[in-house]
Amino acid sequence: MAMPPDRPDSPDIPEAVAAPRPRWRLPLIWLVPIIAVLIGAWLAVKAVVERGPTITITFTTGEGLDAGKTKIKFKHVDIGVVKSVTLSRDHSRVVATADIVKDASDLLVNNTRFWVVRPRISGGTVSGIGTLLSGSFISMDVGNSTTIRHDFVGLETPPVFASDVPGREFVLKAQDMGSLDVGSPIFFRRLQVGQVTAYKLDSDGKGVTINVFVNAPYDRFVTNNTRFWHASGIDVSLDTSGVKVNTQSLVSIVIGGLAFQTPPDTADISEAAVKTQFELFESFADAMKRHDNIVDTYVLNFTESVRGLTIGAPVDFRGITVGEVTAIYTRFDPVTKQISIPVEIHFFPERFTSRYQPGATGAGRVSRDPQALATYLVGRGLRAQLRTGSLITGQLYIAVDFFPNAAKASMDWSKNPPEFPTTPGNLQSLQESLTSLMTKLNKIPFDAIGKNAQQTLVEANTLLKRLDTEVTPQARDTLIAAHKALDSANSALLPNSPLQQGAGDALSELARTAAAFRTLADYLERHPEALIRGKPGDQK
């Protein structure tokens, strides 16, 4: 405080001047927390700006899911982590909430798929073995949709192929699954070119729908006329060339599989579109069987046994298959009180169209009026007949041929389907012939014939006894007399016997007489006048 100036004894001290006090002063020590707050705010803003979306994935089970540990990977690159695993409101599913990095936000589209990778064995393939050491994780397959989505339903099994794998998917309709499963292989000329991706039972329960995927570039060999068939197991066939064994691979024998091929005579070889539906056949033979556009249905009524005739048996015309059996029934006629067996067949008229002539199209029917043609051929003796196709298996087939001596018949076009006339088979004719022969043999009186034969044998025995007692002694005496006569003749014919000597002398005299006659004849030939005059010596 300054001393008053009127005081003489005050020291010489400068006068103090009052300075104004500042309103607010920040101590330097506060700069550190302020900078820390600014850095924290910047980091928070950066975290918010760089933070990716949060998604939810629902699964049927929480196996392999751990909050804060389970990673979400795409192409084995971490793009997120599961933050929480909870139950859904109805407790039927598990909801996994995960944070995804911002760079992967454009991968979350409508048809993106998620699944838990864990060790699996399915369809002959083993996957997820690496998770035995590293633990399970969620894998992702990106879809091709443009719609953003943040809630997903996870797959219970991994997809067979990724969305970016080149190829095409097709649909097969079959009676049953056989030994197929998801991941079962698909073969083309014994090369594995695809796999089964999914299957489901049809809504009516009468079949199954199978989704398959064929990898590129093999998918271009699937045309609109391609045939698919079961390649499971071993196909064994027996024909005139011997036993044939056919299979695709050892894999198909163990776990099953499919195969496809286009028939060689197919005209349309355009590639099939995605999701094209095909029929799945039971075997290669069924698949390669010719499929005709024109099919007529007839009924054949047989009165003989059809044991050995099966559905699918061929209808044959002189060695060419022109149809097949589709159904076998039984029918009772209340008028005639007889039971017959109607057999329904499919007849393929296109197979009668000429194909060997140059320029022939080979399509359509033989005649524009098929009913008139069939009526004419039936009038000429065209009939259906059961015949044996194999003596080993006893299988039957239906032969269609001309039988000029067959009973008169006609087509009844008022029935639907019309009934085609038949004629008894060769086996039935043989049986009827044997039956007729046995009937005739049964009419022969074998008992009476046997009695007459026995009586004849008794009479023959009596006759033999009489011959032995009466004829035999006389025959013996006659033979002795004949033997004596032969002995006498033999003695007379000996060289030194008197008969032989006398015969020799007589022959000598006869030779001399013949010589004298020859001399006389020669003389008279030279002197014919001697017959009148005599010899010259006699005229003296």
Side-chain angles (χ1 to χ4, degrees):
M1 183 177 178
M3 297 297 292
D6 55 351
R7 292 180 63 180
D9 54 353
S10 60
D12 190 8
I13 298 174
E15 183 178 358
V17 179
R21 186 176 182 179
R23 296 181 179 179
W24 182 80
R25 178 181 295 179
L26 179 65
L28 294 177
I29 194 171
W30 286 99
L31 291 178
V32 175
I34 290 174
I35 293 174
V37 170
L38 292 177
I39 293 175
W42 177 78
L43 292 175
V45 171
K46 182 180 179 181
V48 171
V49 172
E50 293 182 353
R51 182 181 179 181
T54 300
I55 65 172
T56 59
I57 310 172
T58 60
F59 297 96
T60 57
T61 178
E63 180 185 359
L65 301 177
D66 291 326
K69 295 182 179 180
T70 303
K71 304 292 185 180
I72 298 179
K73 298 183 179 183
F74 176 64
K75 296 184 181 295
H76 293 281
V77 176
D78 294 345
I79 62 171
V81 62
V82 175
K83 291 299 183 181
S84 65
V85 180
T86 60
L87 291 174
S88 61
R89 292 183 178 181
D90 59 358
H91 299 172
S92 62
R93 299 181 67 85
V94 174
V95 180
T97 304
D99 291 337
I100 305 297
V101 297
K102 185 178 181 180
D103 293 340
S105 59
D106 58 341
L107 303 179
L108 305 175
V109 294
N110 194 36
N111 55 352
T112 296
R113 300 177 291 182
F114 294 88
W115 66 94
V116 178
V117 178
R118 60 175 71 97
R120 299 176 187 272
I121 300 177
S122 176
T125 60
V126 181
S127 61
I129 298 298
T131 59
L132 293 174
L133 300 177
S134 62
S136 301
F137 62 91
I138 298 177
S139 186
M140 181 178 70
D141 178 55
V142 180
N144 54 5
S145 176
T146 58
T147 304
I148 300 298
R149 182 178 177 181
H150 289 164
D151 56 319
F152 300 90
V153 177
L155 303 176
E156 297 306 316
T157 57
V160 179
F161 64 96
S163 300
D164 56 351
V165 175
R168 280 179 288 175
E169 191 174 7
F170 304 101
V171 179
L172 306 180
K173 303 293 289 186
Q175 295 279 344
D176 53 60
M177 279 294 296
S179 56
L180 298 177
D181 196 359
V182 173
S184 294
I186 298 176
F187 299 93
F188 176 70
R189 300 192 182 279
R190 288 187 169 86
L191 293 176
Q192 184 172 346
V193 298
Q195 54 276 326
V196 176
T197 60
Y199 60 87
K200 66 177 181 179
L201 183 68
D202 293 342
S203 58
D204 57 2
K206 296 182 179 180
V208 293
T209 300
I210 305 171
N211 295 83
V212 299
F213 185 82
V214 179
N215 302 319
Y218 308 104
D219 59 334
R220 63 189 179 91
F221 297 110
V222 181
T223 67
N224 293 323
N225 290 318
T226 294
R227 314 284 172 78
F228 287 80
W229 68 90
H230 282 281
S232 308
I234 301 175
D235 184 12
V236 181
S237 61
L238 176 64
D239 57 16
T240 55
S241 61
V243 179
K244 294 183 179 179
V245 180
N246 185 26
T247 183
Q248 291 295 325
S249 68
L250 293 177
V251 176
S252 65
I253 295 176
V254 177
I255 65 172
L258 301 176
F260 69 89
Q261 186 176 328
T262 302
D265 57 347
T266 301
D268 183 10
I269 56 174
S270 58
E271 297 182 14
V274 177
K275 297 288 186 178
T276 300
Q277 183 172 303
F278 297 92
E279 180 183 358
L280 180 60
F281 296 92
E282 290 296 328
S283 64
F284 172 78
D286 294 336
M288 292 296 107
K289 188 183 298 182
R290 180 178 171 183
H291 298 268
D292 296 79
N293 297 322
I294 303 176
V295 180
D296 294 334
T297 303
Y298 295 96
V299 171
L300 311 177
N301 194 32
F302 294 102
T303 57
E304 56 194 295
S305 174
V306 296
R307 182 181 179 85
L309 185 68
T310 59
I311 295 177
V315 178
D316 179 277
F317 177 76
R318 297 180 179 178
I320 300 176
T321 301
V322 295
E324 63 181 7
V325 176
T326 58
I328 302 174
Y329 307 99
T330 56
R331 179 171 61 188
F332 175 74
D333 190 345
V335 178
T336 60
K337 307 298 182 182
Q338 292 183 350
I339 298 177
S340 60
I341 303 177
V343 176
E344 186 177 291
I345 66 169
H346 280 170
F347 186 76
F348 310 126
E350 286 181 299
R351 302 193 182 186
F352 282 94
T353 306
S354 176
R355 294 177 180 267
Y356 72 91
Q357 296 180 358
T361 59
R365 297 179 180 272
V366 178
S367 173
R368 295 182 179 180
D369 190 353
Q371 293 187 3
L373 178 61
T375 302
Y376 170 76
L377 295 177
V378 168
R380 293 284 305 274
L382 188 65
R383 301 288 188 273
Q385 184 186 62
L386 285 175
R387 291 183 182 177
T388 302
S390 173
L391 296 176
I392 299 176
T393 62
Q395 292 180 339
L396 300 179
Y397 70 96
I398 296 177
V400 178
D401 208 338
F402 289 94
F403 299 87
N405 298 326
K408 297 294 183 181
S410 61
M411 295 288 298
D412 186 2
W413 298 104
S414 62
K415 297 181 179 180
N416 187 23
E419 185 173 318
F420 194 87
T422 62
T423 187
N426 295 332
L427 183 59
Q428 184 180 5
S429 299
L430 178 60
Q431 291 177 348
E432 292 178 353
S433 300
L434 291 176
T435 302
S436 177
L437 178 60
M438 292 302 298
T439 302
K440 294 179 180 179
L441 290 176
N442 290 332
K443 294 180 180 180
I444 298 176
F446 288 103
D447 294 338
I449 294 175
K451 293 179 179 180
N452 294 333
Q454 186 177 5
Q455 184 177 357
T456 303
L457 290 175
V458 172
E459 294 178 353
N461 189 25
T462 304
L463 178 60
L464 289 175
K465 290 181 179 180
R466 291 184 60 189
L467 290 174
D468 186 50
T469 56
E470 299 179 4
V471 178
T472 301
Q474 298 180 2
R476 186 182 299 110
D477 295 340
T478 303
L479 289 174
I480 293 173
H483 188 267
K484 291 180 178 179
L486 288 175
D487 290 341
S488 300
N490 188 23
S491 300
L493 293 175
L494 290 174
N496 297 325
S497 63
L499 179 61
Q500 286 288 339
Q501 293 178 357
D505 295 341
L507 289 174
S508 299
E509 291 294 332
L510 183 61
R512 287 194 293 270
T513 303
F517 274 108
R518 188 179 300 110
T519 303
L520 176 61
D522 291 339
Y523 179 80
L524 291 177
E525 183 177 1
R526 293 192 304 270
H527 304 283
E529 69 278 4
L531 292 173
I532 300 174
R533 299 177 181 177
K535 288 184 179 182
D538 296 336
Q539 294 179 359
K540 293 182 178 182

